Amino acid sequence: MTEPIDPPSATAALVALRDELAGLALALETPAAAAGRAMRVELVGQVVDYRLPRLRQMDAPLLMVVGGSTGAGKSTLVNSLVGAEVTTAGVLRPTTRAPVLACNPHDIRWFHDDRVLPGLARTTGGPAGPGGLQLVPTDGLPAGVALLDAPDIDSVVEANRALAGTLLAAADSWLFVTTAARYADAVPWDMLQAARDRGTSLSLVLDRVPADAVEEVSAHLRAMLAERGLPETPVLVVREAALDDGLLPAHELAPVRAWLDELAADAQARAGVVRRTLSGAIESMPRRVAVVREALAEQAAAAAALADAVEGAYRDALERVDDAVRSGSLLRGEVLARWHDVVGTGDVMRSIESRVGWVRDRLRALVTGAPPADAELRTAVETGVEAVVHAAADEAAERVAGRWRQEPGGRALLDAVHRPDQASPELSGAVSELVRDWQGHVFELVRREAAGKRTTARLASLGVNGAGLTVMIAVFASTGGLTGAEVVVAGGTSALSQRLLEAIFGDQAVRTLAARAREDLLARVARVFAGEARRYEAPLEEAVPPAGAGERLAGALGAVEPVR
């Protein structure tokens, strides 16, 4: 016997579960996403269209949805039970474009508002258009039971098939109509299986059965029902007969008529059907929510893998820039040539001790009036850093795009990224600004280091810009990664820069200045790379499930289970 349900407790729990389900987009195209989205929509729809309305008004009439395949005779059956044509039947399909709900005039008040199927606009006195529900009050039906003629479950019109599913999900009971010729078709059995999975009370009308095949066909159908876990489903047989003015003859309709009248006359039996369906619907939720949870877990795992691909690619890109800075490779070519323009040419290593003062004088002379050598060196540094950063960013973008194309859900997200295999068009401007700001920061570091110290006089002889340029070169002047004559020149450059700075600031200050300048440069590059990574992170964040969604969904489901 079905246990009673506490409507207030069940309502609150279902509202919380509905809200959790409704907030899950499952937007990543992972293998389980389509099934998860379909089940989410189905669950939310059934909660909104059936469970909550029924819990809030347990004494409302029993809503029986008449469903079936194209040409099964649903509309003819409804018209015959009512005793008049209230819904269109015919050979041209699809014939039912909008559902028709027939009920006793005393019951019409239960269906005027949006208590049931709130998404359908009500119409009386004539057919409803698409998206509507036609209400037909009729004395041909007893009070307590309403019949809803649904569109064909296998309609050629997708909207009709979707609406049929929505209506069946809103039913207290299904009256499923099939024929002797088509009862073994796959589509009807898919819907019957869905009824079992949802816990919906089910009755079946076997229509158009030849008189000499009633026993054989009905026995086979009952055996199929038992094999599929529906052994207690009532089977009502309507024998094949000529229609009388479009309606089934009374003597052939008698089994269905008697069954319906008996149900309408027994309030306790109707209440039992409602409780069974409501309890079955709630009991089916853990199994059905598990489909959504599986898709949600898959989404979270896929999102983590995609995020890791981005984080790893740009972390490695920053390390590549750091290696380039530390290896001395930035002193190749233009930067080294422009530094020679500033300090002079010749054998730097041979005369390093004697030339410290001369170099200081030369730097002071060249940078005091912002001469071309100063500007050209700064430009060369900017160009060199930009080349290293851009190459690292290009490589990172290519890695992310390649990885995302291999990961579930990643390929579709790349459509939202402009030129996903390359660095962004804005990168060059961002790096130029980065280097200019960094150079200004280095000059400020030098100024702050010298402020209020005895080194100020020495600094004045060289100039802040000259000292700042020397600090920049010291940042890049390691000989790692250089070969042959480059090692001699870079080594001389490093030694000269070191001696110049030590003459002004002292050993420890020199190491601190160079380290702080290098760290600041890398921090600025990291911020630029963070901007590059946002091109991928932004669409991923829009698609990723909300944080803690799985735990909240499990908690909401757990609150529903005690009220089954």
Side-chain angles (χ1 to χ4, degrees), residues 157-178:
V157 180
E158 183 179 354
N160 276 357
R161 296 196 304 273
L163 179 58
T166 297
L167 299 178
L168 291 169
D172 290 311
S173 178
W174 287 8
L175 184 61
F176 205 84
V177 183
T178 188

Side-chain angles (χ1 to χ4, degrees), residues 219-246:
H220 185 227
L221 176 56
R222 288 188 174 93
M224 292 182 70
L225 288 166
E227 289 173 1
R228 288 162 173 78
L230 297 165
E232 299 179 0
T233 302
V235 176
L236 309 169
V237 178
V238 176
R239 295 187 300 182
E240 190 172 34
L243 299 181
D244 182 5
D245 198 20

Side-chain angles (χ1 to χ4, degrees), residues 441-453 505 516:
H441 174 74
V442 172
F443 294 149
E444 183 59 29
L445 277 179
V446 170
R447 186 177 292 108
R448 286 202 303 266
E449 184 66 29
K453 296 183 178 180
F505 298 111
R516 289 169 63 186

Side-chain angles (χ1 to χ4, degrees), residues 174 188-198 202 228-230:
W174 287 8
W189 285 103
D190 288 344
M191 296 302 291
L192 294 174
Q193 186 67 48
R196 191 192 75 170
D197 292 345
R198 295 175 181 181
L202 176 67
R228 288 162 173 78
L230 297 165

Side-chain angles (χ1 to χ4, degrees), residues 146-298:
L147 297 181
L148 198 162
D149 185 20
D152 301 332
I153 60 173
D154 58 352
S155 171
V156 297
V157 180
E158 183 179 354
N160 276 357
R161 296 196 304 273
L163 179 58
T166 297
L167 299 178
L168 291 169
D172 290 311
S173 178
W174 287 8
L175 184 61
F176 205 84
V177 183
T178 188
T179 67
R182 300 191 59 186
Y183 69 88
D185 289 357
V187 172
W189 285 103
D190 288 344
M191 296 302 291
L192 294 174
Q193 186 67 48
R196 191 192 75 170
D197 292 345
R198 295 175 181 181
T200 305
S201 297
L202 176 67
S203 302
L204 197 148
V205 173
L206 182 59
D207 195 14
R208 300 175 190 160
V209 184
D212 60 354
V214 169
E215 184 175 342
E216 178 185 355
V217 173
S218 59
H220 185 227
L221 176 56
R222 288 188 174 93
M224 292 182 70
L225 288 166
E227 289 173 1
R228 288 162 173 78
L230 297 165
E232 299 179 0
T233 302
V235 176
L236 309 169
V237 178
V238 176
R239 295 187 300 182
E240 190 172 34
L243 299 181
D244 182 5
D245 198 20
L247 305 179
L248 292 167
H251 61 282
E252 300 300 348
L253 183 65
V256 184
R257 175 87 266 174
W259 170 82
L260 184 64
D261 289 346
E262 181 180 354
L263 182 61
D266 189 342
Q268 187 173 355
R270 295 198 309 275
V273 170
V274 169
R275 286 196 302 271
R276 283 196 301 275
T277 295
L278 192 54
S279 295
I282 294 176
E283 287 172 1
S284 73
M285 296 199 76
R287 181 177 64 257
R288 298 163 68 196
V289 170
V291 176
V292 181
R293 293 179 66 184
E294 178 184 351
L296 180 60
E298 185 182 74

Side-chain angles (χ1 to χ4, degrees), residues 469-525:
L469 289 171
T470 308
V471 170
M472 284 183 220
I473 295 303
V475 169
F476 304 135
S478 170
T479 59
L482 302 181
T483 60
E486 287 180 325
V487 173
V488 176
V489 176
T493 300
S494 177
L496 179 58
S497 300
Q498 187 83 3
R499 295 290 292 170
L500 279 169
L501 294 171
E502 289 175 359
I504 299 173
F505 298 111
D507 294 354
Q508 185 58 44
V510 169
R511 287 191 291 270
T512 300
L513 279 172
R516 289 169 63 186
R518 180 182 291 111
E519 290 171 3
D520 184 74
L521 176 61
L522 292 175
R524 293 173 189 271
V525 173

